[in-house]
Amino acid sequence: MVEISVTLPDGRVIAVPQGATVADVAAAIGPRLAQAAIAGKVCGRLVDITKTVEDGDQVEIVTEKSPEALGILRHSAAHVMAEAVKDLFPTAAFGIGPAIEDGFYYDFDVERPFTPEDIAAIEDRMREIVAEEKPFVRGVLDRLEALDAFEGQPYKQELIAELPEGEVISTYTQGAFTDLCRGPHVPHTGWIKAFKLMNVAGAYWRGDSRRPMLQRIYGTAWFSEKDLNDYVERLQEAERRDHRKLGRELDLFSFHEIAGAGLPIYHPKGARILRLLQDWLRAELYRRGYVEAITPHIYKADVWKISGHYDFYRENMYFFEIDEGDGRVNEYGVKPMNCPGHVMIFGNDVRSYRDLPMRIFEFGTVYRHEMSGVVHGLMRARGFTQDDAHIFCTAEQVHDEVVHMLELVDYVMREVFGFEYSAEISTQPEKSIGDEEFWRVATESLKSACDARSLAYEINEGDGAFYGPKIDIKLKDAIGRTWQCSTIQVDYNFPSRFGLTYRTAENTEAQPYMLHRTILGSMERFLGILIEHYAGAFPTWLAPVQAVVIPIADRHLDYAAKVREKLESAGVRAEVLAENEPMRIKIAKAQQQKVPYMLVVGDKEAEAHTVSVRERTAGDIGGMDIATFAERVVSEHP
């Protein structure tokens, strides 16, 4: 028997027979691993356990505990769902069925939309397929064989026709159902023990509104019923915290079809929260050496042509023409970013190395053309305000400036709002400007700044901005979801395109580096995250109403009004609940509105010039004089 050698992740080298598969390697390591193996990684590439290994290969066994395992399971579940649909709807045409975060989906072209009864029937058929433990069998076809195999499936044939010449065309078959797929998959359908179909939505083929509308069924799959039940509970909790629902209930904002998708209208309470956030952050930035700017919402298209947005970002912008009234018609663009205005401020005067770093910030409202199908409340809006800043500095100052930004991120996210967070560095995309040396130096500067802060990071290859690499900060909220907020980008291209220079200590001209950064990011998105993170119960310093004064009877209204006046003078946002209702009803309303404090006043309080304080979670915390209560509230500000 001829043997070959393969290397394991821990560096061990083991011998297996020539022709051995990944499953055989797992068995050679141990019977428990062989039983747990669902796939493998050969020289870093995910493969099925039936894949033959070669001499010298590096082999890793994928089990339920591996980070790739859930994706493989969910992709396999999508195939099982497709088979169930084929069995129940024989004329269906099939789109694609990938694994996604927390689940999977598959797109189908069917004669009529799926009903809830259809979904239940598909789920039942899936359970039957799972119980049959059908193996997933890989096949390889040439282009003509593949086109013939998917006769009558126009979407599959379109995908096949677009594959590059020489590309391996693989299929996977379970039972009588075959699908076009790269794989890998779990060994057989029996692995898919815990799954649930979640909902159905319309989806244009390949996201193009000019193409057919397909029916997209979303599902989720897990390795155990417990994991599935935990996920469903998290979804229910997320629904309870949904910022759109709480935004209505707390009277913070609204959306109106007549105004357009993705354009929030803030009610007084919502506007108050946004202004509180901005005022707090503005003071913090002034303290850290920033200066503030206000720039226009529109610029002539010439600006966007110089910046590169016209060529690289046009599809995400709004352009229009204006008759200037003097025989000229100029094209204008609504700003999707605040960068050009800050560039013009820097370039408006002669700058010296003594002026650097120059830190310009702005709470600037921008507009981006998002398809209506992806607009999602405040989380993804067409119009939003960024806490934008641009730092102009020398090459030698880049590292320290990025370190300072990361320190600010940590203060804001961890110390003030209590978020855990992680970092991701995105590198040069396929469509980009600037030479390779800039991209190399800029990317290394971001890495070194993270290292200086002992901030671990992952690399996101090819996802940088077209003008420079970036650090993205991702928050983890109260129920474990992650959100991207803060961004730090290094840019040498904007200064070059706009001809920015400064005078060096040697009295020569040099080009500054430009650092783009946001901390909160989109104010709308951050507000939505906070609403869901706190389930609408904002910390006292951010609550639009910090205290409500509740008179026990009408004769206490005058005293309640005086209490409110004194609180407002002391910097506490307060209201009087003057309605002719029982006290318990007023307390219940305040609780429903998630007001941090309720101040009950009656004869005793009016005589002693005190208030009886109830906290929204602790309940009754006793009486205190008005000044003491005001100090308590003010002390809760960061």
Side-chain angles (χ1 to χ4, degrees):
M1 180 180 65
V2 179
E3 291 189 332
I4 61 172
S5 297
V6 297
T7 304
L8 304 180
D10 61 4
R12 282 189 298 149
V13 177
I14 65 170
V16 293
Q18 188 173 40
T21 64
V22 170
D24 295 329
V25 173
I29 298 171
R32 292 179 64 183
L33 184 61
Q35 189 176 15
I38 63 172
K41 289 175 78 173
V42 175
C43 299
R45 186 170 68 88
L46 282 170
V47 297
D48 301 298
I49 62 168
T50 55
K51 170 71 175 175
T52 302
V53 298
E54 304 291 338
D55 188 41
D57 280 347
Q58 294 179 321
V59 180
E60 179 180 345
I61 307 303
V62 176
T63 70
E64 292 182 17
K65 296 179 180 178
S66 303
E68 304 89 353
L70 277 171
I72 296 171
L73 179 78
R74 288 162 180 165
H75 189 184
S76 303
H79 279 236
V80 170
M81 180 171 71
E83 179 183 357
V85 169
K86 184 67 174 175
D87 290 346
L88 297 172
F89 301 87
T91 62
F94 295 81
I96 58 173
I100 56 175
E101 185 176 4
D102 290 335
F104 60 90
Y105 71 78
Y106 211 117
D107 292 339
F108 305 98
D109 194 344
V110 287
E111 295 175 355
R112 60 169 176 77
F114 290 119
T115 66
E117 292 75 21
D118 293 332
I119 299 303
I122 293 167
E123 205 171 61
D124 287 342
R125 178 62 188 130
M126 288 177 68
R127 291 191 182 92
E128 294 172 356
I129 296 168
V130 166
E132 293 170 19
E133 298 190 353
K134 300 179 181 181
F136 286 93
V137 181
R138 187 175 188 267
V140 176
L141 306 175
D142 63 31
R143 191 177 301 272
L144 290 178
E145 289 173 332
L147 289 170
D148 183 60
F150 289 95
E151 181 70 31
Q153 291 292 332
Y155 306 111
K156 297 296 183 183
Q157 290 191 325
E158 180 181 323
L159 295 173
I160 293 166
E162 292 179 359
L163 290 173
E165 199 64 39
E167 178 95 356
V168 173
I169 302 175
S170 59
T171 62
Y172 278 82
T173 300
Q174 76 261 16
F177 179 77
T178 298
D179 204 352
L180 182 72
C181 181
R182 288 192 177 94
H185 287 283
V186 294
H188 57 74
T189 61
W191 278 86
I192 308 165
K193 297 181 177 67
F195 65 89
K196 182 178 178 62
L197 301 188
M198 308 301 292
N199 55 61
V200 184
Y204 290 112
W205 171 236
R206 308 188 89 166
D208 187 341
S209 59
R210 297 166 296 183
R211 307 296 299 276
M213 173 72 80
L214 308 183
Q215 292 287 294
R216 176 172 293 179
I217 302 179
Y218 287 95
T220 189
W222 301 81
F223 282 108
S224 72
E225 286 292 336
K226 180 184 182 305
D227 288 343
L228 173 62
N229 292 335
D230 288 347
Y231 173 69
V232 171
E233 287 179 13
R234 288 198 302 274
L235 284 184
Q236 292 169 346
E237 180 62 17
E239 185 176 351
R240 186 178 74 83
R241 293 169 178 258
D242 190 319
H243 73 282
R244 295 165 298 179
K245 169 178 170 287
L246 289 171
R248 289 191 303 271
E249 293 175 357
L250 301 178
D251 195 25
L252 302 179
F253 57 84
S254 59
F255 292 90
H256 299 267
E257 186 175 344
I258 194 173
L263 298 170
I265 294 175
Y266 288 101
H267 301 194
K269 289 181 180 179
R272 191 72 180 262
I273 296 171
L274 277 181
R275 291 293 178 252
L276 288 166
L277 278 170
Q278 290 178 1
D279 291 346
W280 162 73
L281 186 54
R282 177 179 286 110
E284 188 63 34
L285 294 177
Y286 277 132
R287 188 176 70 80
R288 292 170 182 261
Y290 285 77
V291 292
E292 187 169 11
I294 299 174
T295 62
H297 287 238
I298 63 172
Y299 295 100
K300 288 171 66 175
D302 307 59
V303 170
W304 306 114
K305 290 175 182 177
I306 296 171
S307 71
H309 287 85
Y310 200 89
D311 294 324
F312 291 91
Y313 205 72
R314 181 181 174 85
E315 68 273 14
N316 300 106
M317 295 179 64
Y318 297 99
F319 283 93
F320 59 95
E321 291 186 341
I322 290 181
D323 185 341
E324 304 286 7
D326 56 4
R328 293 177 302 133
V329 175
N330 284 319
E331 186 179 21
Y332 283 75
V334 181
K335 68 176 179 180
M337 300 172 184
N338 299 300
C339 327
H342 299 184
V343 167
M344 289 185 228
I345 291 171
F346 185 91
N348 196 54
D349 204 347
V350 176
R351 304 294 178 185
S352 160
Y353 71 97
R354 297 178 187 277
D355 299 320
L356 306 182
M358 183 176 183
R359 307 180 184 103
I360 304 174
F361 81 92
E362 176 178 9
F363 292 106
T365 301
V366 299
Y367 298 88
R368 297 180 186 175
H369 180 211
E370 302 280 8
M371 300 298 288
S372 60
V374 301
V375 169
H376 178 72
L378 300 180
M379 301 303 195
R380 193 160 182 177
R382 286 177 172 168
F384 54 94
T385 300
Q386 287 187 304
D387 65 321
D388 233 344
H390 297 91
I391 290 82
F392 301 91
C393 62
T394 67
E396 295 75 21
Q397 292 169 333
V398 169
H399 172 85
D400 286 348
E401 287 301 306
V402 175
V403 170
H404 293 157
M405 292 177 199
L406 291 175
E407 186 275 325
L408 177 58
V409 166
D410 188 69
Y411 169 70
V412 171
M413 297 306 178
R414 185 178 59 82
E415 293 189 38
V416 175
F417 293 106
F419 286 113
E420 295 179 25
Y421 65 87
S422 60
E424 184 177 84
I425 296 179
S426 297
T427 60
Q428 184 175 8
E430 186 175 337
K431 291 174 62 177
S432 62
I433 54 180
D435 60 43
E436 294 295 326
E437 180 61 12
F438 156 73
W439 281 90
R440 186 190 68 78
V441 171
T443 302
E444 288 305 314
S445 71
L446 295 181
K447 292 178 180 178
S448 67
C450 287
D451 292 340
R453 289 284 307 168
S454 299
L455 175 60
Y457 56 85
E458 294 183 356
I459 298 295
N460 185 11
E461 293 289 352
D463 201 39
F466 70 84
Y467 48 78
K470 60 178 180 173
I471 300 174
D472 286 327
I473 299 296
K474 298 188 175 182
L475 312 181
K476 181 180 286 188
D477 71 10
I479 57 174
R481 298 169 301 179
T482 57
W483 306 94
Q484 194 274 311
C485 287
S486 311
T487 298
I488 299 170
Q489 302 169 348
V490 184
D491 184 3
Y492 198 59
N493 294 297
F494 253 59
S496 173
R497 295 170 80 95
F498 282 91
L500 301 186
T501 61
Y502 67 93
R503 302 296 295 179
T504 68
E506 293 74 31
N507 205 33
T508 60
E509 295 288 324
Q511 181 180 304
Y513 273 73
M514 180 179 178
L515 307 180
H516 307 245
R517 77 103 186 98
T518 62
I519 301 299
L520 304 182
S522 158
M523 301 293 295
E524 277 68 16
R525 181 178 174 82
F526 193 71
L527 175 57
I529 293 168
L530 288 183
I531 291 170
E532 298 194 0
H533 180 61
Y534 295 126
F538 289 97
T540 303
W541 75 274
L542 263 186
V545 177
Q546 296 172 310
V548 292
V549 187
I550 301 175
I552 294 175
D554 285 352
R555 67 179 181 274
H556 305 123
L557 283 170
D558 287 345
Y559 178 65
K562 290 176 183 176
V563 169
R564 190 201 69 81
E565 288 176 9
K566 289 183 179 180
L567 291 175
E568 289 285 350
S569 297
V572 177
R573 299 181 293 280
E575 290 181 354
V576 176
L577 296 188
E579 296 86 352
N580 186 17
E581 295 176 329
M583 184 178 69
R584 59 179 177 80
I585 299 297
K586 293 179 181 179
I587 290 174
K589 283 184 175 180
Q591 288 280 175
Q592 190 177 40
Q593 287 296 299
K594 304 183 187 295
V595 179
Y597 290 101
M598 290 140 275
L599 310 179
V600 178
V601 295
D603 293 335
K604 181 180 68 173
E605 289 77 18
E607 184 177 342
H609 302 290
T610 61
V611 291
S612 180
V613 183
R614 292 183 60 87
E615 201 269 337
R616 66 184 166 199
T617 55
D620 188 0
I621 58 175
M624 60 184 75
D625 62 66
I626 299 168
T628 300
F629 173 74
E631 288 172 7
R632 177 190 178 107
V633 172
V634 171
S635 70
E636 295 184 37
H637 197 286

